[in-house]
Amino acid sequence: MKTKRFTSQQTQEAARILAEGGLLGIPTETVYGLGANGLDADAVSRIFAAKGRPQDNPLILHIPTADWLERYCTDIPATAYALAGRFWPGPLTMILRRKPMVPDVVTAGLDTVGMRCPSHPVCRAILTAADLPVAAPSGNTSGRPSPTNMADMLEDMDGKIDGIVDGGPCSVGVESTIVDLTVQPPRLLRPGGVTLEELREVLGEVAVDEAVTRLLSAGEKPRAPGMKYRHYAPKAPVTVVQGEAAESARYIRRHIGDQDGVICFAEFTHLFEGHPVESIGPKADQAEQARRVFDALRAFDGTEVEQIWAQGPEPSGIGLAVSNRLNKAAGFHIVEV
Ligand code: TXA
Ligand code: MG
């Protein structure tokens, strides 16, 4: 099929694709999503086919306002509204009990559903025009880094989706924070644009799912099914070097092979002259690191590097999300220095 390009002004035309059961590339503040009408099981199945996504990995529903929660969810705790009041629209997904009207293909048969109300103005215009809950995973081929601009999404999806809307580069750059509100205490399943520290300000105690910080063994099932897959992975193997930045840079310099590439903070790029190097921004600028991390991982796919070395960021604030994405890209192959 030919993938139609829409400008950020053409949200009405783009929304028609959703109403007609098609697949639409949608900009959000986190990453680009691959959207379909979340109430149309056939349309949703096509998302899985286009991405090559395993059927047991549920999708999240995107809604224009928090008062849509009641349409699709039941037993909604007061904490959901407290979080919505503080962080919606924005990069937060809540796991809640679902109503039977949500198709099984969306939730992969789970009795819960992920709900998110995005803040990107173009995304909001599309949701409002479509007047539908939009099921949308990240717009990458399954296993590849998530796309943070239209060109990256087209690299994976050109010819496989009906249309895509250009909303510019994503302002957050990593996927939404996922918090499960069906358990006590609430549990962080995926770190993202809303930080763990911010969640705790509203919720008090928040548990951190083990899949966030370590590789699960074959028999273990994470609560967010998607967290079990080797993910965000460029084609070459990645090693994360965790520790004080000058130390990790020195370690990489000592161990780097001739054909290896580096992902590092802006201050250290000069140490790796002659190697393919991707800066993720200044070491103190965590928001910039979040915006750049997926592009840095993607950049190496066009090169012949044998191995990629990455400086591990401080795992606090949004740095926890950046660190999680790099660690996952590395299959949790982490060296502490
Ligand atoms: O920022 C985002 O969340 C982006 C944009 C497009 O909104 N979307 C996104 O979707 O990252 P996806 O499908 O790539 O990641 C959703 C994650 C997966 O790991 C999935 O397993 C988990 O959410 N998930 C979805 N529904 C769930 C549920 N009911 N219970 C637990 N985890 C769930
Ligand atoms: Mg994804």
Side-chain angles (χ1 to χ4, degrees), residues 30 53 57 60 62 112 116 137-138 175-176 178 190 223 226:
T30 58
R53 180 175 174 111
N57 194 0
I60 61 190
H62 298 71
T112 56
R116 168 157 129 77
S138 49
E175 304 89 337
S176 62
I178 303 181
R190 180 175 73 182
R223 283 164 200 259

Side-chain angles (χ1 to χ4, degrees), residues 147-324:
T148 54
N149 56 64
M150 183 167 87
D152 283 357
M153 180 152 176
L154 283 170
E155 203 177 280
D156 288 11
M157 291 299 155
D158 202 5
K160 297 183 178 165
I161 56 177
D162 300 281
I164 184 166
V165 184
D166 190 356
C170 301
S171 60
V172 177
V174 291
E175 304 89 337
S176 62
T177 302
I178 303 181
V179 63
D180 187 348
L181 296 181
T182 69
V183 292
Q184 207 38 257
R187 182 178 286 258
L188 176 74
L189 303 188
R190 180 175 73 182
V194 170
T195 67
L196 178 58
E197 295 85 342
E198 288 171 321
L199 286 180
R200 285 180 171 148
E201 282 168 23
V202 176
L203 297 173
E205 192 187 352
V206 177
V208 178
D209 201 65
E210 295 210 76
V212 172
T213 49
R214 69 175 178 87
L215 188 63
L216 299 183
S217 52
E220 288 177 294
K221 265 205 185 136
R223 283 164 200 259
M227 294 291 276
K228 74 171 170 268
Y229 299 104
R230 179 171 183 244
H231 207 184
Y232 314 125
K235 287 160 193 159
V238 181
T239 301
V240 173
V241 184
Q242 192 67 51
E244 195 277 313
E247 277 299 318
S248 61
R250 263 197 297 277
Y251 181 94
I252 294 171
R253 246 186 78 112
R254 277 203 308 275
H255 291 82
I256 193 166
D258 289 346
Q259 306 301 316
D260 295 355
V262 183
I263 294 174
C264 66
F265 302 121
E267 292 87 341
F268 300 99
T269 51
H270 68 278
L271 292 179
F272 306 107
E273 259 169 44
H275 294 271
V277 179
E278 290 293 321
S279 162
I280 56 169
K283 79 173 174 178
D285 190 346
Q286 293 182 309
E288 180 66 4
Q289 292 161 29
R291 281 189 289 270
R292 287 167 80 154
V293 64
F294 282 135
D295 239 31
L297 288 166
R298 249 173 205 271
F300 286 106
D301 280 354
T303 71
E304 295 296 305
V305 296
E306 275 175 12
Q307 243 199 107
I308 299 164
W309 297 87
Q311 278 190 291
E314 180 63 41
S316 63
I318 199 173
L320 181 63
V322 181
S323 164
N324 167 263

